[in-house]
Amino acid sequence: MADTGVLLSIVTPVYNRAELLNNCFQSLFAQTCYDFEWIIVDDGSTDSTLEVARSFKADFPIKVISKPNGGKHTALNESHKHISGKYVLILDSDDTLVPSAAADVIKGWKKYEDQEEIGLIAFLRGTDEFHPLCKAYDADEGKPVDIIRYRRESFVSGDACEVIRTELFTKYPFPVFEGEKFVAEGALWNRVGLTHKCVYINKVIYICHYLEGGLTKSGKPMRVHNPNGGMYVANLGMVKKNFFKSRVKNGLLYTCYGFFAKKSVAEIFRQCRAKALMCFCLPYGFAMYLIWKKKYY
């Protein structure tokens, strides 16, 4: 990777967001610290997104990459070879960062960069700086925690703004399934959680703007049309390290998505990490499949 001398790489996958991408840019232009690069990956937009992205000029490096449409996860994979920073923050094209975000991230990582067991620092997302969408309990000390166990014991709720070491981000590319254009980010965070710890910092640095047509709003219909990706993430969630209620939920999802993927019971069983749990969940997952098929498919 080329060395641009920055510590942080902010990666923005984008698809048909020409009218919104400037808001994202303005939030980066307003940062109090410019020790970052912005990597925009255009995922085959059919509007003027690519032209808008190429028009941005700033005192921080901006890299614009274009690729055929394949979904957000493939855009994130495409960014790997363009990353110069030591840490990666994924910023969605319809969201923004608070002015102190880059400085807060860099300050946070300077404290922990020599502790190799720490793979993530997680800040908060919010509707604004004062209204977080998630909360990390018992995080005042900023102590490293087991990511999966921390969630298992209900010390954290809601989606956070994770900032990951670059070597881990590139080590775990998202799986790509033919004909599918969505794999949840849990495919990354769950794998990192098996080997590394996280530090939670209770400060909002990421502002969410949930829009119609966005991935968050697309919900179950999008997931049932991308079932192999759903199976993959649910399979990761069935590990024994996870708490039982979540393991059962993922077992139901795993079998349900397996039927949407038109896999046989033998195939669903063979690919599963927790075969006994999968057998228990199988009839209920099939019932869920029938309900969702009627409702969403």
Side-chain angles (χ1 to χ4, degrees):
M1 65 183 73
D3 183 8
T4 59
V6 298
L7 286 175
L8 176 64
S9 294
I10 298 173
V11 179
T12 298
V14 60
Y15 176 72
N16 286 353
R17 284 287 190 251
E19 76 284 3
L20 293 171
L21 193 57
N22 186 59
N23 294 335
C24 196
F25 168 69
Q26 291 298 331
S27 79
L28 298 182
F29 193 76
Q31 291 298 303
T32 59
C33 164
Y34 277 175
D35 196 2
F36 65 88
E37 64 178 357
W38 190 25
I39 302 174
I40 306 168
V41 186
D42 180 71
D43 188 38
S45 294
T46 57
D47 64 359
S48 60
T49 293
L50 190 57
E51 290 74 17
V52 171
R54 288 172 173 165
S55 72
F56 295 138
K57 306 296 180 185
D59 291 334
F60 50 85
I62 302 176
K63 301 174 183 177
V64 181
I65 299 106
S66 178
K67 62 176 286 296
N69 181 251
K72 177 182 177 179
H73 63 299
T74 64
L76 292 172
N77 287 350
E78 184 68 23
S79 74
H80 287 183
K81 54 183 174 285
H82 302 280
I83 292 170
S84 302
K86 295 176 66 176
Y87 314 107
V88 175
L89 186 158
I90 300 170
L91 174 63
D92 288 346
S93 57
D94 48 1
D95 294 334
T96 56
L97 296 180
V98 303
S100 66
D104 290 333
V105 168
I106 291 168
K107 179 181 177 182
W109 267 112
K110 281 184 177 179
K111 183 177 179 180
Y112 298 103
E113 61 184 346
D114 294 330
Q115 299 183 40
E116 294 184 1
E117 66 173 355
I118 298 174
L120 302 170
I121 293 183
F123 294 84
L124 304 187
R125 297 181 182 224
T127 53
D128 58 42
E129 289 187 62
F130 309 104
H131 296 87
L133 291 168
C134 58
K135 173 71 175 177
Y137 302 95
D138 193 34
D140 293 338
E141 299 176 53
K143 61 183 180 181
V145 296
D146 182 299
I147 302 169
I148 296 175
R149 184 173 299 168
Y150 197 70
R151 284 190 172 273
R152 182 184 73 187
E153 296 174 356
S154 301
F155 286 133
V156 64
S157 60
D159 292 331
C161 171
E162 294 93 347
V163 186
I164 185 172
R165 291 185 187 270
T166 295
E167 61 264 30
L168 292 178
F169 182 65
T170 56
K171 180 181 179 180
Y172 297 115
F174 288 86
V176 177
F177 301 99
E178 185 177 357
E180 296 192 9
K181 293 187 177 182
F182 175 77
V183 176
E185 286 185 30
L188 171 62
W189 309 131
N190 289 352
R191 282 181 287 174
V192 174
L194 293 173
T195 57
H196 288 75
K197 292 186 176 181
C198 177
V199 171
Y200 285 91
I201 297 178
N202 271 321
K203 182 174 184 179
V204 174
I205 68 167
Y206 188 113
I207 308 301
C208 294
H209 306 278
Y210 294 126
L211 303 175
E212 295 300 326
L215 292 180
T216 303
K217 286 282 190 178
S218 298
K220 291 187 182 70
M222 175 182 61
R223 286 166 170 78
V224 301
H225 284 87
N226 297 273
N228 285 289
M231 281 187 75
Y232 183 89
V233 176
N235 206 0
L236 290 170
M238 294 171 72
V239 296
K240 289 183 178 179
K241 203 174 185 181
N242 209 340
F243 64 99
F244 183 70
K245 182 178 178 181
S246 181
R247 292 185 70 212
V248 171
K249 174 184 176 182
N250 280 287
L252 294 171
L253 291 172
Y254 174 79
T255 54
C256 176
Y257 290 136
F259 290 117
F260 276 112
K262 296 181 170 55
K263 294 185 182 293
S264 67
V265 172
E267 287 179 295
I268 296 172
F269 179 81
R270 187 169 57 250
Q271 296 176 21
C272 189
R273 288 170 171 253
K275 291 178 169 53
L277 179 61
M278 172 254 153
C279 291
F280 170 77
C281 292
L282 185 65
Y284 306 101
F286 182 69
M288 182 185 298
Y289 158 73
L290 294 176
I291 295 169
W292 285 9
K293 183 179 180 181
K294 183 177 182 180
K295 188 172 182 179
Y296 300 117
Y297 203 64

